[in-house]
Amino acid sequence: MLEAINLKKTFGDYDALKGLDLKVNPGDIYCLLGANGAGKTTTINLFLNFIHPTAGKAEVCGIDVTEQPLETKKLLAYIPEQVMLYGNLTALENLRYFAQLGGHDYTETEYKSFLDRCGLQSGAYIQRVHQFSKGMRQKVGVAIALAKQAKALLLDEPTSGLDPKASNEFSALLIQLKGDDASILMATHDLFRAKETGTRIGIMREGRMMQELGTDDVSHADIERIYLEHMHGDSSKYAA
Amino acid sequence: MIISIARKEFAEIVRDGRFKWTATIMVLLLLTAMMAGYQKYTTAVRIQHAAQTGTNQQWLDQGDKNPHSAAHYGNYAFKPAGPLSYFDNGISNYTGTAVFMEAHKQNFAIGRPASDQSAIARFGDLSGANILQLLLPLLIIFLGFTSFSGERESGTLRQVLSMGVTNRQLLWGKALGVGSAVLIVVLPCILVGALALSMAQSVDHAEGMATRLATLSIAYLMYAGIFLFLTLAVSALTRHARTTLMVLVGFWAFTGFLMPKAASEISKFTEPTPAFGKWMADMRAHQLRGFDGVPPFAKFARYTKELFKEYGVTSVGELPMYFVAVRLQKLEEYDYPVFDQHYGMIREAYTSQRKVQDQLGILAPTLPLRSISMAISGTDLIQHVKFMTDAETYRRNMVVKMNDYLSKASVHLNTTYSSSNYMRADEEVFAIVPPFEFEPPNLNTMLAEHRSNFILLFLWLAAAIGLAIFAANRISLERN
C-alpha cells in the first residue's frame, strides 16, 4: 500500500506539493492526472525518497520512506517515462543486474520467463539494449519490476511517446501486475489510458489534489470534461 | 551486492570502444617501455661489467712503476645498473656512471647519458615508471569519470538508487569494477616485465628483489587507488560527466606535469647549490690554507717533529719508514676533511632539494610515488651518493695501500735516493688493492629514508577514500 499523509514539498520559494493526501490500496492502479508542474513527479520522487518532504510523510506498506528509505525501496519498483538501461549490456544482463540490486537472484530460465511475460521477443534477450526501442525498454523495465517482486509500483508517465500498440501492451502488463495485488501509482497525461487501465484517478493542480474519481463511475467524456475544468480554473464545483 | 555492481561496471567498461583503444595503447606503450628498458638494462650491465673488468685488469697491467705513481695512474669505478633500473631509470641519466679514482683528487662522476641525448629526450624517457606515473592515472580517469555523473546524466542512477542500494555499496562496487578493468590492462605488462627481470643476469645484485618488487607494487597500487577514488569522488560531486573530466584532467596535469617541474624549481630556489667555478676555487683555496687554518706543509713540519720524537731519531735517515711516502700520505690525509666538507656541502644541497621536493608531495601524489619508485629501483640520489662515497672510500684505501707499501718497502731510499734507484712495484703489489665492488644501500635503509613519502602516499589514499565516501554520501537526486 502507498499512502501520502499531508505531504508537502517546497523548492526554495516554490510550493511544489501543498499537503497531499493519497492512498493506493493493493490491487489499485491509481492514475495521477495533471498538467506539467502539478506535482505528480514530485509525489513519485517523495515515495522513492529521491527528495525529502518539507512536511508530512509518505509511507510504503506502512513504513515511512524518510525513516527507512532502504526498506521501502525494497518494496517498490520504479518505471520512469524512459526506462534507462545500460546500453552495453543485454536485456538479460540488465534484468539480472537490477534484480540483484533489488536483493533477488534467479536462474537463467526464470529471468527469461520475466522477459517473456513482458512480451519481449526472445531474440532480443541477448541483444545489447542500446539497439532497443522505447517500447522494448519499457518492457524490460516492467520485467525488472516483476523480478523485484515489488509490493508497489511507481510509474512516471510510462506510456509517454509509445505508439498505440506498445501503449496497449503496456497497459495489459499493468493489469497483470494489478492482479498480483500490487499497489500501482501512475503519473500520466493520457486520460484515455487512465480510464482504461486505472481503478482510480486523482486530478492534481499546482501541488494540490483537486478531485479523486473511481474509473468505473465516470465515462471517458466525463473525465476529460472534469479534467479540463480543473485545468481552466473552474474547480469550485469539484473541490475535494 | 558490491560484487554485482563491480561485475556490471567491469562488463560495461570492457565492452566500451574507448576501453579497447585506451587499453591497447596503454599495453603497447608499457610493453615497449619494458622491452626498451630491459634492453637498455642488459646493455648497461654488459658494458659496466666489461668496463669494470677491463679497468681492473688495466690497473694490474699498468707496468712496473713506483706505487705512488700507480695511485696517480688510478682506476675507474663504474656504477652497476640495478635490475629495476629497467623499470625506473630515475636520475641515473643525469648523475654519471663512472668516477675516476686517483691520488690527491676526489672527482665527480662522469658519463651522463643525458649529455648524449637529443633535445627531444628532455620530454622524458619512455620507461615503465613514467608510463605508470603519468598514463595510469589518465587511464583510470577515462575509465571511471562517468561512474556517477555519467549515470546521473543518462538517468540510470535514478533507476539504480530506486532499487534500494546504498550509496556506499555503489561506491565500493564501482571502485572494484573500475579497478579490475585497470588491473587487466596493467597486470599482464607487469608480469611480462617481472618475467624478463627473472631471466636477466645479475638479478641477485640488489638484495631482496622479491621484497623490492612487492614494495614497488604496493606503492603503485596505492597511487592507482588515489586516482581511482579521486575519480569516483569527483564523478559523484559533479553533475555532468564533462565537468568531471575537466576537473580530473586538470588535476592530472597539475600533479603529473606541473608539480614535478615546479617542485624542482622551488627546491633549487630554497636550497641552492653553489656555482661550480666558485665552489672549485673555494675548495682549492681551502686545501692550500689547510682545513683548520694551518697550511699542509706547516702541519707536516709539525708532524715530522712528532715523528722524530716518537721514534727517538734526529734525521730522516734513521726513520724505520720511507719518509717521502709518509709525507705523501699525510698530505693526502690533510685534504680529506676539506673534500668531505666541500663535496658534503653539494651532497647536502642536493639532499635538501630532494627533501623539499618530497615535502611538496603534500600537493601532488606523483611526487612521493616518484621518490619511492626511484629509491626501490636503485636509481635515486641516495643510491648515487652511496656509490660516490664507496668510490671515495676505495680511492683513499687505494692510495693508502700504495703509499703504505712504498713506505715499508723503500726505507733504504731515505739515505740512498737517486733518480735511478727509486722503488718499482709490479702487478703483485698492485694486486693488494682489491677490485672495486659497489654495495647498493640496504633496502631497509632506503625504506627508512622514504618513510615520509610512504606516509604521504598513505595520507593521499586515505584522503581520496574519505572524499569518495563523503561524495557518495552526498549523492542526491534532489535537484536532478
Side-chain angles (χ1 to χ4, degrees):
Chain A
M1 188 177 71
L2 295 165
E3 189 168 10
I5 303 160
N6 194 27
L7 199 56
K8 292 179 183 170
K9 178 65 187 174
T10 305
F11 295 106
D13 295 335
Y14 176 67
D15 294 327
L17 220 52
K18 300 166 181 167
L20 178 75
D21 289 299
L22 175 80
K23 197 170 185 177
V24 186
N25 292 312
D28 259 355
I29 300 180
Y30 193 113
C31 297
L32 277 180
L33 294 175
N36 291 336
K40 306 185 296 292
T41 300
T42 302
T43 305
I44 287 177
N45 284 343
L46 283 163
F47 273 112
L48 286 164
N49 198 45
F50 285 170
I51 55 177
H52 303 291
T54 310
K57 60 180 178 177
E59 289 183 350
V60 178
C61 300
I63 307 170
D64 189 327
V65 299
T66 313
E67 286 173 7
Q68 297 184 59
L70 290 178
E71 283 308 308
T72 54
K73 280 179 184 172
K74 299 260 181 240
L75 302 169
L76 285 172
Y78 168 58
I79 301 176
E81 179 180 352
Q82 178 102 33
V83 174
M84 297 315 299
L85 302 167
Y86 297 98
N88 276 333
L89 304 187
T90 66
L92 259 177
E93 287 168 337
N94 268 290
L95 176 58
R96 183 183 294 118
Y97 175 58
F98 281 108
Q100 285 172 346
L101 290 188
H104 300 276
D105 205 1
Y106 304 95
T107 63
E108 181 96 350
T109 316
E110 286 169 321
Y111 280 119
K112 284 179 178 171
S113 76
F114 287 125
L115 291 171
D116 183 50
R117 207 175 141 192
C118 296
L120 193 73
Q121 290 177 335
S122 59
Y125 296 175
I126 52 165
Q127 273 178 22
R128 294 194 190 177
V129 301
H130 63 76
Q131 302 163 335
F132 280 19
S133 66
K134 182 177 174 184
M136 290 164 86
R137 284 170 180 265
Q138 299 301 90
K139 285 174 183 172
V140 178
V142 177
I144 291 169
L146 286 172
K148 200 176 176 189
Q149 299 175 2
K151 302 278 182 220
L153 260 75
L154 299 166
L155 300 100
D156 195 358
E157 300 179 25
T159 55
S160 164
L162 287 183
D163 62 54
K165 181 174 173 286
S167 225
N168 264 335
E169 286 171 1
F170 190 81
S171 296
L173 276 173
L174 281 191
I175 291 165
Q176 270 190 45
L177 287 169
K178 183 184 81 169
D180 293 346
D181 262 357
S183 308
I184 302 173
L185 177 64
M186 176 166 74
T188 182
H189 290 295
D190 189 340
L191 306 186
F192 175 79
R193 195 66 51 202
K195 160 72 181 152
E196 288 299 304
T197 318
T199 53
R200 291 164 69 212
I201 290 172
I203 299 174
M204 291 185 75
R205 183 180 157 189
E206 294 171 0
R208 288 185 206 283
M209 180 62 76
M210 305 307 291
Q211 187 169 359
E212 287 187 306
L213 306 162
T215 51
D216 292 340
D217 307 333
V218 286
S219 65
H220 284 293
D222 289 339
I223 293 174
E224 189 172 359
R225 182 178 49 78
I226 295 168
Y227 177 80
L228 287 173
E229 281 174 0
H230 281 300
M231 293 308 108
H232 291 126
D234 185 13
S235 54
S236 54
K237 290 187 281 185
Y238 307 103
Chain B
M1 182 82 79
I2 290 171
I3 299 293
S4 297
I5 297 166
R7 201 181 293 139
K8 172 253 143 194
E9 204 71 24
F10 180 81
E12 267 223 298
I13 289 172
V14 296
R15 288 177 192 179
D16 193 322
R18 284 175 305 178
F19 172 79
K20 287 168 188 159
W21 278 107
T22 47
T24 306
I25 291 168
M26 184 83 180
V27 167
L28 282 177
L29 279 173
L30 260 179
L31 287 179
T32 308
M34 295 284 192
M35 277 157 52
Y38 178 72
Q39 198 262 344
K40 201 169 152 187
Y41 161 67
T42 49
T43 307
V45 166
R46 200 177 60 243
I47 291 174
Q48 187 276 337
H49 181 72
Q52 193 66 67
T53 312
T55 198
N56 289 343
Q57 197 55 49
Q58 259 180 359
W59 165 260
L60 296 174
D61 295 344
Q62 62 181 292
D64 294 356
K65 58 169 67 83
N66 181 282
H68 188 74
S69 298
H72 274 281
Y73 181 84
N75 201 350
Y76 277 95
F78 290 92
K79 186 162 66 175
L84 284 171
S85 63
Y86 88 103
F87 169 73
D88 189 344
N89 53 14
I91 58 169
S92 15
N93 276 358
Y94 307 93
T95 49
T97 49
V99 59
F100 181 54
M101 303 171 296
E102 59 178 327
H104 306 304
K105 279 172 80 179
Q106 180 173 347
N107 292 310
F108 279 107
I110 53 170
R112 296 178 172 84
S115 59
D116 299 327
Q117 289 174 336
S118 61
I120 196 86
R122 291 212 162 268
F123 289 102
D125 282 318
L126 183 72
S127 69
N130 272 347
I131 288 172
L132 289 183
Q133 285 167 24
L134 288 176
L135 297 188
L136 178 65
L138 207 54
L139 178 73
I140 294 169
I141 290 169
F142 279 131
L143 298 186
F145 79 98
T146 56
S147 291
F148 288 104
S149 52
E151 287 218 33
R152 186 195 290 273
E153 277 182 326
S154 71
T156 46
L157 190 61
R158 286 177 72 84
Q159 202 85 26
V160 168
L161 291 179
S162 76
M163 303 304 289
V165 183
T166 65
N167 293 4
R168 284 199 192 184
Q169 284 172 329
L170 210 51
L171 172 70
W172 293 119
K174 282 177 181 291
L176 197 58
V178 177
S180 307
V182 172
L183 274 186
I184 64 158
V185 177
V186 177
L187 215 54
C189 303
I190 302 288
L191 290 177
V192 168
L195 188 70
L197 184 68
S198 67
M199 285 157 49
Q201 293 174 336
S202 313
V203 283
D204 56 340
H205 178 76
E207 45 83 41
M209 185 49 65
T211 317
R212 278 176 191 264
L213 279 174
T215 316
L216 203 57
S217 305
I218 289 169
Y220 275 92
L221 278 176
M222 285 170 81
Y223 183 65
I226 291 166
F227 274 91
L228 175 63
F229 284 101
L230 280 180
T231 299
L232 294 176
V234 176
S235 187
L237 287 171
T238 48
R239 294 177 57 76
H240 302 288
R242 195 179 56 227
T243 316
T244 315
L245 189 60
M246 278 169 56
V247 171
L248 288 169
V249 169
F251 178 72
W252 168 77
F254 172 78
T255 186
F257 289 100
L258 186 68
M259 272 314 287
K261 289 282 174 203
S264 170
E265 293 304 318
I266 291 168
S267 67
K268 275 192 234 170
F269 179 74
T270 58
E271 306 291 339
T273 44
F276 181 75
K278 184 178 181 307
W279 173 84
M280 190 59 109
D282 283 353
M283 187 170 68
R284 188 77 197 116
H286 202 169
Q287 274 180 290
L288 291 174
R289 72 171 182 271
F291 180 72
D292 49 6
V294 182
F297 286 98
K299 199 182 281 180
F300 184 72
R302 216 157 56 194
Y303 175 75
T304 307
K305 282 182 188 168
E306 286 167 15
L307 196 67
F308 280 15
K309 196 174 167 188
E310 185 185 342
Y311 287 99
V313 298
T314 53
S315 71
V316 168
E318 296 170 76
L319 281 170
M321 74 280 282
Y322 184 37
F323 182 68
V324 172
V326 171
R327 193 182 63 183
L328 287 168
Q329 183 55 36
K330 274 291 155 190
L331 292 177
E332 178 86 26
E333 287 171 11
Y334 294 155
D335 283 340
Y336 288 172
V338 178
F339 289 152
D340 290 344
Q341 182 184 321
H342 288 264
Y343 277 90
M345 196 165 71
I346 293 209
R347 205 165 47 233
E348 281 305 311
Y350 283 137
T351 304
S352 301
Q353 285 181 1
R354 182 182 65 81
K355 284 182 179 163
V356 168
Q357 290 178 29
D358 286 349
Q359 283 161 5
L360 287 167
I362 199 151
L363 300 175
T366 310
L367 295 179
L369 175 77
R370 199 177 58 161
S371 287
I372 291 169
S373 178
M374 285 194 289
I376 298 172
S377 301
T379 54
D380 70 338
L381 182 66
I382 296 172
Q383 177 105 352
H384 181 68
V385 165
K386 174 74 166 52
F387 169 71
M388 293 303 288
T389 309
D390 282 7
E392 177 59 10
T393 305
Y394 179 89
R395 185 190 75 82
R396 291 178 186 182
N397 188 40
M398 174 184 81
V399 176
V400 165
K401 279 189 189 305
M402 289 296 100
N403 285 339
D404 198 39
Y405 183 85
L406 183 65
S407 150
K408 286 174 184 156
S410 307
V411 183
H412 61 285
L413 294 179
N414 277 335
T415 50
T416 62
Y417 178 78
S418 75
S419 59
S420 58
N421 71 344
Y422 64 89
M423 159 82 195
R424 276 177 191 274
D426 59 14
E427 183 182 342
E428 202 175 317
V429 175
F430 304 145
I432 63 175
V433 180
F436 174 76
E437 273 184 24
F438 173 54
E439 190 61 42
N442 178 284
L443 180 62
N444 287 338
T445 311
M446 301 294 279
L447 295 180
E449 274 288 329
H450 286 277
R451 191 179 294 126
S452 61
N453 282 318
F454 274 105
I455 291 171
L456 267 180
L457 214 52
F458 176 78
L459 288 177
W460 263 103
L461 180 61
I465 293 174
L467 183 65
I469 291 173
F470 167 77
N473 286 340
R474 281 194 69 223
I475 289 175
S476 157
L477 299 171
E478 185 87 25
R479 289 179 297 125
N480 206 37

